[in-house]
Amino acid sequence: ELLNLVGPEGKDYIALSSPSQLRKVDHRMGMEEDNIVKLNILIVEDDAFSASVLLELCRHCSYQAELARSGEAALQMLEESESKPMNERYNLVLSDVMMQGITGPMLLREIRRRYQDELAVIMLSSNAHQAVVE
């Protein structure tokens, strides 16, 4: 569940209800703040243009981001990430909804099966038709 809160001076604060290590809220709003050392993002996108935009946005925000071109590649990269120290593992997945092979919803189900709610997942789609995304 993603909440977008507007705080003092119109500044936006994002609160992710799960996993808790990614929740970021502001003390001035009477909420607690979790310590986020850094975001290690796995971008799952099969479209080259969309992938380059997402990677550039992440780099512009000083986030560590890597690209998987398919759901299959993403699962492999997540598995390989498990052998790294905790602060170097992926803690956020940004995944396209519509991909060939393992689709976004299939990837989400597999991530939930393997990692429960320990790994945040945000699904993305450039398709404007709500029925297609659902």
Side-chain angles (χ1 to χ4, degrees):
E1 181 178 355
L2 177 65
L3 305 172
N4 186 12
L5 309 171
V6 179
E9 300 142 15
K11 188 173 179 184
D12 284 344
Y13 299 92
I14 302 298
L16 292 168
S17 64
S18 178
S20 62
Q21 73 265 19
L22 293 179
R23 186 173 49 238
K24 182 177 183 179
V25 293
D26 187 86
H27 288 292
R28 292 174 292 178
M29 297 177 68
M31 299 178 196
E32 57 184 86
E33 182 174 344
D34 289 336
N35 186 14
I36 302 174
V37 176
K38 69 176 182 175
L39 285 177
N40 293 315
I41 303 171
L42 177 59
I43 297 171
V44 189
E45 176 60 71
D46 58 353
D47 178 74
F49 177 76
S50 296
S52 66
V53 169
L54 289 168
L55 283 168
E56 183 58 32
L57 283 171
C58 288
R59 290 186 181 129
H60 180 74
C61 294
S62 300
Y63 299 140
Q64 176 67 34
E66 294 182 342
L67 176 65
R69 295 261 183 205
S70 68
E72 294 86 354
L75 291 173
Q76 180 64 36
M77 291 172 76
L78 286 169
E79 188 174 312
E80 291 169 1
S81 173
E82 290 179 43
S83 65
K84 297 179 180 179
M86 284 299 287
N87 66 336
E88 294 179 18
R89 294 180 188 178
Y90 299 114
N91 49 25
L92 175 62
V93 175
L94 297 178
S95 178
D96 186 12
V97 171
M98 296 185 300
M99 298 181 290
Q100 297 295 318
I102 295 179
T103 64
M106 292 166 65
L107 177 62
L108 176 61
R109 281 191 293 278
E110 185 60 22
I111 288 172
R112 286 292 161 254
R113 187 185 73 74
R114 292 183 187 188
Y115 305 100
Q116 291 77 43
D117 67 350
E118 295 300 314
L119 181 59
V121 179
I122 298 175
M123 304 299 292
L124 307 169
S125 179
S126 60
N127 194 316
H129 297 288
Q130 182 68 24
V132 173
V133 174
E134 288 176 357

